[in-house]
Amino acid sequence: MIKRNILECMTLVGKAPSHYEGAKTYVSTGAVDCDHIDYKQTEQVTYDNRPSRANLSVTSGDILFAKMCGTKKTLRINDVMAKYLFSTGFCAVRANESVMIADLLYHLLSSEQFLTQKDPVKLVEMYRKKKTQPEMVYILPTREKQYRNSQ
C-alpha cells in the first residue's frame, strides 16, 4: 500500500469547445443523476445559442464530477458522451495511469469520503500550487494490484 496525494492520481482536463456547426447535446449538472445522464433533462444547443455554462468539452476516458460540495454526480465519459457539451459545474479529470487506474479513480471520486472532502475552490487551488490537505491523501494498492483487482 502506498500513500498518494489525490493530485498525483489525476490531471485536470477539459476545455472550452471549439466552434462547431449544427447542434450538440448539452448536459447540465441537473441532468445527471448520480452516475447517469437523464436525457429528458438535456437540451440541444448550437455554438451561438448555448448557455454560458455549456462550456466544457471532454474526451473519451475522462471522468467528470460535480464541483458542488457533497453532490454525488460522477460520469465516465465514453465515445458517445465525448461529443456532448457539459456544464462548467463539472470538473473534468483524467487518471494518471502510472499511479492509479481509471476505474479506481472513478470509484474514489464517487466515494462518500471524497464527497465529504471535496471543495472545488480548494481542489483547483491545490492543483495549481501542487499542495494537498492532509485528508486528501489516500492509501492505495500498488499499480499492479489495482490492475489485478480490476480484472
Side-chain angles (χ1 to χ4, degrees), residues 22-148:
K24 286 191 174 198
T25 300
Y26 165 55
V27 181
S28 66
T29 54
V32 175
D33 183 15
C34 198
D35 61 357
H36 66 278
I37 298 170
D38 176 357
Y39 285 94
K40 293 177 187 169
Q41 300 292 320
T42 64
E43 60 184 290
Q44 295 297 306
V45 297
T46 64
Y47 185 83
D48 294 325
N49 82 346
R50 72 191 197 284
S52 61
R53 290 184 64 81
N55 207 38
L56 180 61
S57 213
V58 296
T59 60
S60 187
D62 291 350
I63 300 169
L64 299 183
F65 64 89
K67 292 177 182 177
M68 192 165 68
C69 292
T71 304
K72 186 174 185 172
K73 296 180 182 228
T74 313
L75 295 172
R76 294 234 12 215
I77 302 301
N78 60 30
D79 291 341
V80 173
M81 290 188 280
K83 298 173 185 169
Y84 301 164
L85 288 180
F86 289 88
S87 169
T88 55
F90 288 106
C91 183
V93 298
R94 186 170 301 131
N96 176 352
E97 292 278 344
S98 67
V99 174
M100 179 184 284
I101 62 173
D103 284 344
L104 183 55
L105 180 60
Y106 174 80
H107 289 291
L108 175 69
L109 296 176
S110 300
S111 72
E112 289 301 318
Q113 180 182 1
F114 180 77
L115 293 175
T116 58
Q117 295 171 348
K118 74 175 173 177
D119 177 332
V121 175
K122 287 181 184 173
L123 194 60
V124 171
E125 190 60 27
M126 287 179 346
Y127 190 81
R128 286 187 184 133
K129 293 182 177 180
K130 299 294 183 197
K131 291 183 178 178
T132 192
Q133 298 168 305
E135 67 269 16
M136 296 298 278
V137 173
Y138 296 87
I139 299 173
L140 305 173
T142 63
R143 173 73 174 81
E144 294 75 24
K145 280 188 179 179
Q146 291 174 41
Y147 184 73
R148 245 191 340 264

